[in-house]
Amino acid sequence: MKILTANRLTDGEAVWLAADHSWAETIDLAEIARDKAAEEKLECTGRAAFLKNEVVDVALVDIELADGAIRPLRLRERIRAAGPTFRSDVGKQARPAVPHAA
Amino acid sequence: MYRYDEFDHTFVKARVAEFRDQVDRRLAGEITEDQFKPLRLMNGVYLQLHAYMLRIAIPYGTLSSRQLRMLAHIARTYDKGYGHFTTRQNIQFNWPALSDIPAILDDLASVEMHAIQTSGNCIRNVTADHFAGAAADEVADPRPYAEILRQWSSVHPEFSFLPRKFKIAVTGADHDRAAIQTHDIGLHLKKSEKGELGFAVYVGGGQGRTPMVAKKIRDFLPEQDLLSYCTAILRVYNLHGRRDNKYKARIKILVHETGTEELTRQVEAEFAALKESDLKLPEADIRAIEAYFTPPALPERAEGWAGVAAARKADAGFDAWLRRNVVAHRHPDYASLTISLKGIGEVPGDASDEQMDAIADIVERYAFDELRVSHEQNLVLPHVARADLKAVYDALVDIGLATANAGLVTDIIACPGLDYCALANARSIPVAQEISTRFGSQARQEEIGDLKIKISGCINACGHHHVGHIGILGVEKKGAELYQITLGGSGDENTSIGEIVGRGFGPSEITDAIETIVETYLANRTDQSETFLDAYRRLGAAPFKEALYGSEAKAA
């Protein structure tokens, strides 16, 4: 399973492509691609957003579902989704209801 | 310290205006990311995991209180209330919006600062001994030469697109506190037998995936030839340095592949052609730059001796701080001191906006308005009267920055690592925090003595792990963090590259492994005067391998 991530051009905020083709600021809203065709669809939408200068550094991310919640397989992506692991007052985890990366 | 003249002000302002226009055009979609990326990097703007990162140049690590207050203002206004001091004597902000960066650069320009050449394949911020101009063992202040190099290298048309980045460091003392032998060019300021100032010139040092100790290619270069000789080196590098492979593009690879003798011949040939050119520094110009670095007038303050002696008797914390964080100044009534940004269990190199403001007050009141950033990610007050040390200490206690650990096992260099950095493979900061907490006892640290631990979260070695007495390199193996340990590195006048001790350790094992190494040292040292590094050089890796891996080590 994969989701599509990027950083927003204006402020660099880590974002994920949601089902409605908006860029969500939290990973839980990401649309999950469960097969190759869905991945290509995500990538295609991401490429269009890159060309429209909405986002940069667009990339697919491998994930699993843990108790129904999206969990990236790589620590790097878990840190992007939450924030630095040594302080919880910055990054997404400083918002309500975003779990820490590690 | 150096003050901008009209030319500098105009130049920096024009550069901010240019970058503002580039940002506007990028946000309006008029230029693509591929076109914009090299432009933003030339202005110190990276994109990391969570946000953009802005790296601000602090030439040779020297700051005034006014500049530090501006950094505090930027942290508060545009970022998340803290900044991170780096191993290149710079500061980084981890959360700025791209759209705010032109305003930040305007604010910086108002206090004679900028972010030019803090990234890209150009000559980066020139670093120097953080005790420059104050140290008792100094031959001369290296900063005037660092400033001359800064002016010469700023948007140098010939050297703005080098094969790879290029780093220069200058030391003015025999005891090298600027790690010059791990730089592309290292300059050791010294006096000739006739008493003339000049440099021993080292070339081709560096860390990263292929660590190399620099080679000395000149024992004495007269000061007036500084720019012609550096130009000669850069010219040979620019012409012959590899551009086909990013990982082989630093000058250290060119030196290695060409051979020191042949490279020296090429540099000397180029230098012979340049020696009498416009690059020859007129005596008057050198002395004019030097005048900016005239040390403050230091009145006699002999009362400090008795005051300090009484105060240290009454306050064990102050006593420990004097032992570890205060060093000799060339004026006996004064001292240089380290403000440790390595509180026990804290993030190495981070300071909050309130701390920066409070330090600025101390700098203004007690330290002749001068502060330094060290490449070890601490701050330094170069000139403080001994009579004022207790007041400075008390003020530092109030803001949580009086940790008495300079040079000890908890004074750890750590790169930002995977918690921020897009290049990292493993976290560095939490490892540093855990080791710091484990060795946090003041008595235990002082019993262990001088010991430099340096941690990098990837092979690029921003945390200088290759020259750590104990180096830790984080890698990713099968999706998990793994930490390799190197032993015996050193970044001083006896520079050495650490040797990998054996297989790596997981995040939950690494602190225990470090403790095993430290205990092995304590058990094997001749006495307390034999430092970890000396003991390692005497003993070699065997007892440490045995302690870490036991029978496994014997089998190997």
Side-chain angles (χ1 to χ4, degrees), chain A:
Chain A
M1 287 182 288
K2 291 183 197 293
I3 57 175
L4 193 76
T5 190
N7 289 80
R8 198 158 56 204
L9 172 67
T10 52
D11 57 5
E13 181 84 33
V15 288
W16 293 266
L17 188 66
D20 65 358
H21 287 192
S22 69
W23 290 93
E25 291 190 8
T26 52
I27 196 169
D28 55 324
L29 297 173
E31 184 181 13
I32 300 168
R34 293 168 194 272
D35 56 41
K36 199 75 196 156
E39 281 172 28
E40 279 168 14
K41 213 170 127 197
L42 285 184
E43 278 187 303
C44 192
T45 311
R47 203 154 38 240
F50 174 76
L51 291 172
K52 280 193 283 181
N53 301 303
E54 293 169 5
V55 292
V56 293
D57 278 16
V58 183
L60 283 171
V61 171
D62 289 310
I63 57 142
E64 60 186 359
L65 289 177
D67 297 330
I70 293 172
R71 184 177 188 274
L73 298 187
R74 292 185 70 199
L75 176 60
R76 178 189 202 274
E77 291 304 322
R78 295 201 294 278
I79 290 174
R80 284 183 76 244
T85 57
F86 55 85
R87 58 185 292 174
S88 54
D89 61 330
V90 293
K92 318 281 190 189
Q93 62 203 343
R95 308 170 185 204
V98 174
H100 300 179

Side-chain angles (χ1 to χ4, degrees), chain B residues 1-2 4 56-63 67 88-91 111-116 118 124-129 143 146-147 150-151 154 293 370-373:
Chain B
M1 55 192 284
Y2 183 73
Y4 279 15
I56 296 164
I58 302 177
Y60 31 88
T62 297
L63 280 173
Q67 291 172 322
R88 206 126 202 91
Q89 299 181 305
N90 290 323
I91 187 169
V111 295
E112 306 183 3
M113 295 182 79
H114 61 66
I116 300 166
T118 57
R124 302 288 188 88
N125 189 36
V126 178
T127 52
D129 181 355
R143 291 172 305 152
E147 173 58 26
R150 187 192 70 77
Q151 295 190 13
S154 294
F293 298 90
E370 199 175 322
L371 176 77
R372 308 280 172 75
V373 182

